Amino acid sequence: MTVPTFRFAPSPNGELHLGHACSALLNARMADEAGGRFLLRIEDIDTERCTPEYERGIFADLSWLGIAWEKPVRRQSEHFDDYGEALRRLIDEDIVYPAFMSRGEARAWIAEEATGETWPRDPDGAPLYPPRDRTLSERERRARMDASAPFTWRLDMAAAMEHVSGAIEWQETGAGPEGETGVVRARPEAWGDVVLARRDTPASYNLCVVVDDAIQGITDVVRGRDLFHATSVHRLLQELLGLPVPIYHHHDLVLGDDGRKLSKSRRDTALRSLREAGAMPDDIRRMVGL
Ligand code: GLU
C-alpha cells in the first residue's frame, strides 16, 4: 500500500513567516492524522538568492515549532541533473523551444504588434509571452544559440496541449480563490508558454516541483492558495512526463493587518522575530488558526 507522503517545500531566500508556519504545521498535522510521512524539501534552485544561513533558519524555526521531518532533506541545488533530464525529454518531444526575448523586448513587441488588442495576461497578471520565437526556423535558432544569445527554454503550450488526450484534472481537498474544490479542471493554457529553464538557473520552479514530488513519492501536496493556479501547469507537466498525480490541498493564506499576503521582507511576522519577542509555539498555532 502507498504510504501517504506530505512535504513542506520552502525556499531559503528569506526568513519563514506566519504563512510558512501555517503550511508546515498543517502538513505535519495531516501527515500525522494519515499515519504518513512528512518530508522537508529545500527549494534552492535560485543559488543567487538562497543562502545556507536562511536554510539554517528554516531548520531552527521548524524545530522550535515542534515539527519533526525525515532526514536527509532533499536540496534542489543538488539535483540539477534530474531536472535537466526531464527538460531534455520535453525538448526531444519538440514541445519546448528557446525563447530569446528579454522582458523589455517582449513588452515592446506586444506594444507594437498587438496595437488595439487586449493582450492576454496569466493568472499572476503578467502578459503572455509573444508567439514570435515559437516560429523561428531551426536554422535561426541554431545560429542564435551558437552566437551565445541569451535565451530561456519555454514550453510550447499549444503543442503540449496536443500531446495530452482529454481534460486534465486534479483532486482538490482544499479550495481555490473562487472556492474551487473537488475535481478541478486544469487550465494550463492560461499561462501561455511558461519558462521551464533559464541559462543562469537550469530549471524553473514548475519543472522542479513536479520532478521532485514524483521522485519523493509525494501523495499529498498541501500548500498556500497562491499556488492554486500554478497547479494547472504542474498537472500538464505530469501528463507530459508520465508522472504520478498527488492530491492537492490549497489552504487559506495568512494575511497581514493590511489584508495583503505576507512577504519575506516583512520583519514583524517573521517567526524568528516573534520568537525573540517572546512568542511561544502555541501562540503561533493560535495566530495561524491551527
Ligand atoms: N517553494 C515554494 C514556496 O516557497 C513552495 C512550493 C510548493 O509547495 O509547491 O513558495
Side-chain angles (χ1 to χ4, degrees):
M1 220 190 82
T2 321
V3 184
T5 305
F6 294 71
R7 89 308 193 266
F8 174 55
S11 292
N13 57 8
E15 288 185 9
L16 296 191
H17 53 56
L18 286 172
H20 298 105
C22 173
S23 239
L25 288 165
L26 187 59
N27 262 293
R29 187 169 85 181
M30 288 174 75
D32 192 42
E33 283 171 359
R37 305 170 62 200
F38 173 68
L39 311 182
L40 175 62
R41 180 164 79 225
I42 297 295
E43 301 213 323
D44 59 349
I45 46 169
D46 183 347
T47 47
E48 298 268 293
R49 291 173 61 223
C50 295
T51 69
E53 290 73 37
Y54 284 133
E55 184 183 295
R56 280 194 289 276
I58 290 172
F59 297 154
D61 287 340
L62 295 180
S63 303
W64 175 69
L65 283 173
I67 295 175
W69 59 92
E70 287 184 22
K71 303 194 180 56
V73 300
R74 183 174 172 92
R75 218 175 260 114
Q76 289 188 325
S77 60
E78 294 169 355
H79 298 279
F80 282 122
D81 286 355
D82 292 336
Y83 317 129
E85 192 187 308
L87 178 69
R88 179 55 45 202
R89 282 177 55 197
L90 299 174
I91 293 173
D92 289 347
E93 296 269 355
D94 235 1
I95 46 179
V96 170
Y97 65 89
F100 298 97
M101 283 180 174
S102 65
R103 217 173 278 172
E105 281 167 344
R107 238 191 330 251
W109 188 95
I110 291 167
E112 196 157 309
E113 303 278 326
T115 27
E117 278 177 55
T118 4
W119 194 255
R121 288 178 178 267
D122 71 24
D124 281 348
L128 299 198
Y129 190 74
R132 188 198 70 179
D133 294 347
R134 196 195 299 153
T135 55
L136 288 181
S137 69
E138 195 47 43
R139 223 168 115 204
E140 179 68 25
R141 280 180 188 164
R142 268 283 128 236
R144 291 189 190 202
M145 285 159 86
D146 289 348
S148 297
F151 71 91
T152 58
W153 290 107
R154 284 185 181 263
L155 185 67
D156 182 336
M157 185 56 75
M161 290 303 280
E162 278 177 23
H163 265 63
V164 293
S165 50
I168 314 172
E169 299 171 333
W170 79 83
Q171 182 69 36
E172 173 68 50
T173 59
E178 311 285 334
E180 303 92 328
T181 192
V183 178
V184 175
R185 171 134 191 207
R187 303 200 179 281
E189 56 287 2
W191 290 95
D193 294 353
V194 285
V195 173
L196 293 189
R198 299 180 192 279
R199 210 167 50 164
D200 48 349
T201 312
S204 71
Y205 159 66
N206 286 321
L207 186 60
C208 299
V209 82
V210 296
V211 169
D212 284 344
D213 284 342
I215 287 177
Q216 296 191 286
I218 303 301
T219 58
D220 292 78
V221 172
V222 177
R223 60 188 178 194
R225 187 154 304 138
D226 51 339
L227 290 168
F228 178 83
H229 289 300
T231 310
S232 284
V233 176
H234 302 163
R235 282 293 298 109
L236 173 61
L237 290 172
Q238 285 157 355
E239 293 297 310
L240 296 171
L241 294 164
L243 304 176
V245 185
I247 293 170
Y248 287 89
H249 183 102
H250 292 93
H251 61 75
D252 287 345
L253 295 178
V254 179
L255 302 177
D257 297 337
D258 52 4
R260 300 178 55 168
K261 199 177 127 182
L262 301 182
S263 87
K264 282 185 171 150
S265 52
R266 282 179 53 148
R267 314 254 357 144
D268 54 338
T269 51
L271 296 181
R272 190 163 67 98
S273 316
L274 290 163
R275 181 165 76 237
E276 284 169 5
M280 299 302 283
D282 275 347
D283 299 321
I284 305 295
R285 285 173 199 272
R286 248 191 316 274
M287 288 164 91
V288 301
L290 285 169

